[in-house]
Amino acid sequence: MRSIYRVRGGCTLCAMCYYVCPTKAISLKPNVTAVIDAEKCIGCGQCADNCQAEAIVRVERKTDIH
Amino acid sequence: MRYSMENGHIRADTRSIPVMDEYDVVVCGGGVAGVGAGLAAARAGLRTIILETYGALGGLATLGLVNIPLDFVSGLGREMIDELEKLDGHWHRNSDPEKHKLVLDRMMKKYGCDVLLVTPLIDTFVEGDTVRGVVVQTKTGPQVILGKRFIDASGDSDLVYFAGGAVECGRESDGISMACSLEFMLGGVDWEAYINSDLKQNDPQWIRLLAKCKEDGDPVTQIENHLNWMTHLPGRPQHCGKDEVSICIAHSRMCRPTDNRDLTRMYIEGREQADLFSRFIKKNIPGFEHSYLSQTAALLGVRESRRIVGEYRFTGEDIAYARKKPDVITISQHGFDVHGIETVGNQKWFRGRLPDGSEAYITNRGGYGSLAPPTDLPTVNMTELIPDGLYFYDIPYRSLIPTQLDGVLAAGRNISSNIFGQSGSRLILCCMSMGEAAGTAAALSLEHGVQPRALDVPTLQRTLIRQGLNIGQDYRDIGV
Ligand SMILES: Cc1cc2nc3c(=O)[nH]c(=O)nc-3n(C[C@H](O)[C@H](O)[C@H](O)COP(=O)(O)OP(=O)(O)OC[C@H]3O[C@@H](n4cnc5c(N)ncnc54)[C@H](O)[C@@H]3O)c2cc1C
Ligand code: SF4
Ligand code: SF4
């Protein structure tokens, strides 16, 4: 299991997470929400710390077994 | 003083005002912009003073309970946020207004910037087109403070206005400003219950709740139609049902924030609305069952008022097209958002021209706001056209420079702009960075013996970058 981050409800598209993410895992979908690419997310949590809407949560993700 | 009466005015027969002191840099207003300006000038070794009407620094960010310092964190803003974090006064971009006041007091001491609290600026002393001094109100009557450079960070352009400089206010048609909000705080909140509730997670739930309230004739729906503007106060007990939140819901319309009668109207109206909303929230919102109104703000939330007319008027188009400027002094990534001037709701679009010259309703990231544009013209979201990684726009140095007056710069929410430009560039950390740029420019202009408008901009930009201010240098080549 590893931790990654996901955007849930309440996103105001302020783009703060987009700027702080060290791996550029976040894109902004106009009129929707920020979206985190689970493959690029390293679980550092900076996006969640910077989200004023508290719209980003940590989720546990099972490591893929090939 | 002796006065005589003349056609509804009184005339002072003789007026001699004592000079209290002389400074290199005099800053009018101790909001975040004034703080940034004062600290930057003092750090550059100049004898600097900030004049503030109220009893604490921070302006709207502290006294106005706007405890949500948004936009890029860099330079002195970075230091301020770091200091707040050391006191457990900042998380999720929310701040504790009390700790914030303390942090600002301590930063003044650290950089050796003088402050006069409870000291409003009431007039200026101008020779030709150059400001030489300001008149302040003190407990022993008016006194003069002389200076070499002046920074108008009053939010309302008081200094430039008193000096006879050109100003504008509100919308172009009639000068009426954006809605003002008296913020208030609720204690006894179970934040966990609220944040995990369906209501927080799901906007349509809010819409249904409000629709029901409208049917029931609840007066709050006459005041605002979007109730999700809450910020959580950090460091006040969490997860035990005793959290505190600050709420920006009360709205006064048709505002004239430079008219004292209208300001008084808005404070009183704001307190009545806070009473209504706190009862509404307690009754309807999960997690607020045991909440209570703990305070309304000491300072009315004036989003926008009198602005200087400067060398460049920053506009909504600058934001919509994420325009880059050669004389950038700070950047922002917040879209425009005009809180209903006449009516409930907020507006994130305006009628303007597309790059091909055709007319459209231009929006930016984050949707239309709750006031939808009309359908007679196409609605275009310009941010969709902006390449990834360039979702920010520049604030140009020229917008800090008044057109006629010398010796003066502006910073903060009163820079030269139209109402849409102002509505995006007014965020707390952007205002603080403008202040840092203005204070640095004041210092450089004195060092080089030129007026602020004649300052070599690349020199200013290099200095700002060296001081750690984010002027976009990490995202593109500024060429300095
Ligand atoms: C309701 C509301 C919600 C907001 N929401 C957000 C948000 O979510 N995030 C965000 O980042 N920003 C937000 N903002 C914007 C932000 O708070 C302000 O734009 C910013 O704090 C302005 O800083 P400033 O220093 O330019 O002006 P101000 O904070 O207004 O400071 C001006 C200071 O000058 C003083 N002053 C005025 N006239 C005189 C005089 N003649 N003599 C001496 N002193 C004088 C005043 O007392 C005041 O302290 C909001 C604003 C409002 C009103
Ligand atoms: S947790 Fe870190 S890596 Fe993952 S999206 Fe957030 S900022 Fe990016
Ligand atoms: S920081 Fe939060 S509110 Fe802002 S865009 Fe990211 S998820 Fe949305």
Side-chain angles (χ1 to χ4, degrees):
Chain A
M1 300 263 270
R2 72 185 176 102
S3 295
I4 58 161
Y5 285 74
R6 188 166 60 77
V7 181
R8 61 175 184 181
C11 169
T12 62
L13 277 169
C14 75
M16 234 35 243
C17 57
Y18 174 92
Y19 281 103
V20 297
C21 175
T23 66
K24 301 255 173 288
I26 302 178
S27 51
L28 302 163
K29 297 272 173 279
N31 299 326
V32 195
T33 63
V35 178
I36 298 178
D37 180 341
E39 295 307 315
K40 288 191 190 155
C41 175
I42 55 170
C44 70
Q46 290 196 50
C47 55
D49 285 351
N50 276 282
C51 175
Q52 94 338 114
E54 295 182 40
I56 302 182
V57 285
R58 195 171 71 184
V59 290
E60 301 301 328
R61 176 171 191 251
K62 289 199 185 72
T63 318
D64 289 338
I65 301 165
H66 293 280
Chain B
M1 221 172 303
R2 291 168 62 87
Y3 295 103
S4 57
M5 192 73 160
E6 233 173 57
N7 304 329
H9 289 252
I10 59 165
R11 170 191 278 282
D13 293 339
T14 55
R15 192 177 161 113
S16 150
I17 308 175
V19 173
M20 177 203 284
D21 210 334
E22 184 165 359
Y23 279 85
D24 295 321
V25 178
V26 178
V27 181
C28 175
V32 284
V35 164
L39 290 175
R43 182 173 61 184
L46 299 182
R47 190 154 184 269
T48 306
I49 189 165
I50 298 177
L51 308 170
E52 167 57 46
T53 303
Y54 288 85
L57 295 172
L60 289 169
T62 56
L63 298 162
L65 301 182
V66 183
N67 67 322
I68 174 167
L70 291 182
D71 232 333
F72 291 102
V73 191
S74 72
L76 289 163
R78 168 90 270 160
E79 186 175 333
M80 177 178 86
I81 298 290
D82 287 349
E83 291 303 315
L84 267 169
E85 283 184 348
K86 283 189 204 151
L87 300 182
D88 194 17
H90 183 261
W91 83 320
H92 283 294
R93 306 309 299 258
N94 297 350
S95 58
D96 179 325
E98 275 312 309
K99 289 174 180 164
H100 201 165
K101 292 178 196 165
L102 200 63
V103 161
L104 298 180
D105 288 341
R106 290 176 182 168
M107 286 175 85
M108 291 298 138
K109 207 177 242 173
K110 175 179 165 190
Y111 288 103
C113 180
D114 283 359
V115 179
L116 273 183
L117 298 175
V118 294
T119 307
L121 181 148
I122 53 169
D123 208 346
T124 54
F125 159 44
V126 185
E127 273 181 343
D129 284 332
T130 308
V131 180
R132 301 278 181 212
V134 296
V135 184
V136 294
Q137 185 61 43
T138 76
K139 283 288 177 190
T140 51
Q143 300 203 43
V144 172
I145 297 177
L146 300 174
K148 300 190 179 102
R149 291 288 179 270
F150 297 84
I151 296 169
D152 188 343
S154 63
D156 302 329
S157 302
D158 284 12
L159 192 156
V160 168
Y161 175 75
F162 293 144
V167 290
E168 63 170 312
C169 189
R171 60 181 174 192
E172 275 149 48
S173 53
D174 56 6
I176 302 282
S177 289
M178 226 181 280
C180 295
S181 294
L182 191 69
E183 294 226 12
F184 58 91
M185 271 169 52
L186 297 181
V189 176
D190 183 347
W191 183 256
E192 277 300 290
Y194 167 65
I195 197 94
N196 291 312
S197 69
D198 227 26
L199 209 57
K200 167 72 182 166
Q201 296 303 313
N202 186 346
D203 257 12
Q205 285 260 350
W206 280 102
I207 295 163
R208 276 202 292 279
L209 170 66
L210 288 166
K212 183 181 167 297
C213 290
K214 204 164 194 168
E215 270 173 30
D216 297 350
D218 192 314
V220 296
T221 55
Q222 310 294 316
I223 303 170
E224 199 39 78
N225 61 7
H226 181 86
L227 291 177
N228 214 346
W229 288 321
M230 278 187 210
T231 48
H232 189 185
L233 271 90
R236 308 216 175 163
Q238 291 145 19
H239 317 312
C240 60
K242 283 185 194 150
D243 301 46
E244 286 186 63
V245 298
S246 158
I247 305 189
C248 170
I249 296 173
H251 279 84
S252 292
R253 312 284 168 193
M254 297 301 282
C255 304
R256 294 191 176 277
T258 52
D259 173 339
N260 287 40
R261 276 184 206 274
D262 207 37
L263 284 168
T264 305
R265 184 258 304 185
M266 294 190 271
Y267 276 99
I268 293 170
E269 196 171 274
R271 283 193 283 270
E272 292 292 350
Q273 293 186 4
D275 174 51
L276 278 175
F277 272 116
S278 55
R279 285 187 280 127
F280 167 88
I281 289 167
K282 189 179 168 83
K283 184 170 141 209
N284 291 294
I285 312 294
F288 286 78
E289 296 80 1
H290 304 292
S291 65
Y292 53 88
L293 179 65
S294 63
Q295 65 166 320
T296 56
L299 184 62
L300 177 72
V302 176
R303 291 185 173 79
E304 169 270 315
S305 57
R306 201 158 51 196
R307 310 180 292 281
I308 68 158
V309 171
E311 303 260 314
Y312 181 86
R313 189 165 181 256
F314 184 76
T315 66
E317 279 87 348
D318 289 323
I319 297 177
Y321 300 131
R323 278 191 188 137
K324 310 297 183 283
K325 311 275 185 208
D327 58 337
V328 53
I329 44 95
T330 187
I331 59 172
S332 171
Q333 43 82 52
H334 191 256
F336 41 81
D337 182 357
V338 170
H339 285 241
I341 295 175
E342 295 174 15
T343 167
V344 170
N346 61 329
Q347 177 181 338
K348 298 188 180 183
W349 51 268
F350 61 88
R351 190 179 178 135
R353 290 202 182 274
L354 295 175
D356 67 7
S358 65
E359 272 206 306
Y361 294 108
I362 298 174
T363 70
N364 58 181
R365 199 178 47 236
Y368 310 145
S370 56
L371 293 170
T375 50
D376 58 328
L377 288 173
T379 298
V380 181
N381 180 347
M382 296 308 302
T383 47
E384 277 169 8
L385 309 177
I386 298 162
D388 245 16
L390 292 175
Y391 272 120
F392 65 90
Y393 52 86
D394 291 350
I395 311 291
Y397 179 58
R398 282 163 295 159
S399 293
L400 313 188
I401 310 290
T403 44
Q404 315 136 311
L405 291 173
D406 275 331
V408 186
L409 297 118
R413 63 180 174 82
N414 55 315
I415 62 162
S416 182
S417 49
N418 76 358
I419 197 166
F420 284 94
Q422 196 274 355
S423 75
S425 62
R426 68 188 163 88
L427 293 201
I428 291 170
L429 286 162
C430 186
C431 286
M432 182 142 183
S433 299
M434 289 180 207
E436 184 169 349
T440 307
L444 285 173
S445 74
L446 282 174
E447 186 189 322
H448 294 275
V450 293
Q451 281 301 327
R453 85 179 76 251
L455 185 64
D456 180 53
V457 172
T459 307
L460 172 63
Q461 290 169 324
R462 275 193 295 274
T463 311
L464 294 175
I465 292 173
R466 202 175 55 242
Q467 290 170 358
L469 199 69
N470 182 356
I471 67 169
Q473 67 271 25
D474 293 342
Y475 313 120
R476 76 179 202 286
D477 184 11
I478 293 176
V480 293

